[in-house]
Each structure stands twice: as C-alpha cells, then as structure tokens.
Amino acid sequence: MGADNPYADQTSTNTSTPWLAGGPAVDVDLDGLREYARLMKTQQADIGSRAAYLGPLNEMPGQAWDGDVLGEADAVRAQLLANAGELRVYLGKLAESLGNVGNAAQTIADSYRSGDALSAAKLSDVLFAFGDKSVPRPAGLPEGVGTTYLEAQIAGGAAPPPLDSPQWQAGPVTPISAYQTLQTATGPHGERRETLTFTAPGGAVTTTTTVYDRSGETVSTSTTRTSSRVDGPVSTTTQQTLGADGRPASTTETRTRTENGRVVEETTETVDAKGRTTQLTSEELDPVSRETTTTTYQPGKSGLLEETNRVETGTRTSGADAPHYANG
C-alpha cells in the first residue's frame, strides 16, 4: 500500500490475522450455511441486475459533448466516463465478493454434510473454503469433492465464452484519444475481454479484441478492419480478419444495391487468405412481384462453387377464407 494508501493504519488493522492461529472451536449449522450461501448468491445476482440501471452514466457524457468539442469539454467527458467505469468495476467486485462468501459457506457445508451437524469446525477449514492452499484439506470433506465449491464451478466451464456470448458483462466505452476507445468486459469466471477500437478519420475502423483468462494470461487475440464505400446505387462494406502477421486471414465483402430507396439485391462473399471464395450468399428482391430469393453457395468437391441452399419467399398477403360447404 505504502504512502499512496491514505488508510494505511486501517488496512494494517483489517488485514492482521493473528486470531487465525487459535481460538475456540466453531459450531457448524449446516442448514444455516446452505441458506446463507443461497442468499449470498441471490444478492450477487441482484447487484448484477441492478447494475444495468447505471447505463445512463456511461451514455450521457458522450451525448452531452458529442462530436468536435473544446479540449476542456473532452477532458470532462473522459473523467465522467472514467468515474462511471470505476463505479461499475466496484459493483462488479462487490458482487464477486458476495459470491465468494457464499461459495465458502457452501464448501464448509460440503465438508460436514457426512458428519455430525454440530461437529466443531477448525478455522483452517474456513481458510480452505476461501481457497487457501497452505492449509490441510478438511477431514470431513467427502472424497468425491476434490476442489472447493468455486473451483468446481470454474472447472465445469474453464474455457472463456465466445466473443459474442451474452455471458460477457460489458463495461463502459472509455475514450483513450480522439480516435481510440477501449471497452472491457468480464466473463462468468473472472475472465476479461478488452476491445480496442481505432477509427481513422475518413478511413477504416480497426478493432482488436483480446481475451484473458482469470489469471491474466492471454487466451486469444483477433483483429478486424472494416471499411465502406458507395458507388452510385451500390454500397460495399468490407471486413477483414487479420492474422498474427497483420495480413488478412479472411475477408467478407457485402454489396448492397438499392432502387428508389429500397434494397433489391445484397451479396455477401467470404474469401480466405489466398483469395478463394469459401461462402457466397445472394439475396434478390423482384421489384415487381416483391418475391425474395436467397441462395447460398459453397465450394464443392471440384473446388468450384455449388448451390447449397435456396429459399424463395413470396409476397405477404392478407390470406383468404377457407371454402364453406353446406351440410348434406
């Protein structure tokens, strides 16, 4: 902590643990512990749900000072966004702490579920429940429970969720410069996803997404570059996925043609690093019949594109009554 900590005395007092070395035995109320664990998890979920109400704190500064503003206004905007981000992180850590306490209570309940509910528990058992590896395993912990409750949960889903998974809890978008922003999201087991976006004036938008595991090790890094152009009635959006060497690993180009303000044709083509088409989807709208035809192509055994699926959608009608027949 050092001199930077204005509460050094309080920190020293709160983190001093000589009382852990001994003391009277602790009576364990298993039913109470299980209920306590459930309530802690409920409070953790409640904080997570209420955090959504803080969304305006992350949106209003950008809305108040949008576009080109004075340097002082940009500094205020950045500070307000940083403050909102800190509050969000604090609430996230508070929710995580409640979950950890609940997990520890559940682990203690697991340790004594096979014995006398009023057996005396050692304080080292509590330390084990909180993940302290320096203390011995509780004697009453069933052999089938090889880890703490939290570790067992993490082991069931150790891999971070996909980049677009709803399990990520996205934080605020923090401006780094006039052209760069950073957004951090947290995963269900302490993973972290950082999305750095660079918007060149009048040019492409480059997004680099890095995923870290709960120990801070890099799991994956991906970079995409998106650009667009308009040529008369045709607009084209190109998204390139870059490899570790900075070269395009795949490119997806979407071409949209409009007539009289209505989209009549849209084609999406994906090619690999060697320029070979891996998938092509074409959607055409007949301006007269208003019927839509969607066709998907993929390379066949010969290497040439082959039609793999076709969907034809007619115009929507109000329907017609079924014919009525008289009895007899």
Side-chain angles (χ1 to χ4, degrees), residues 127-140:
L127 293 178
F128 178 88
F130 277 100
D132 190 341
K133 300 300 183 181
S134 65
V135 298
R137 176 188 176 90

Side-chain angles (χ1 to χ4, degrees), residues 6 20 110 136 197 201 204 216 244 259 273 284 314:
L20 293 177
D110 287 342
T197 303
E259 290 183 5
E284 298 181 5

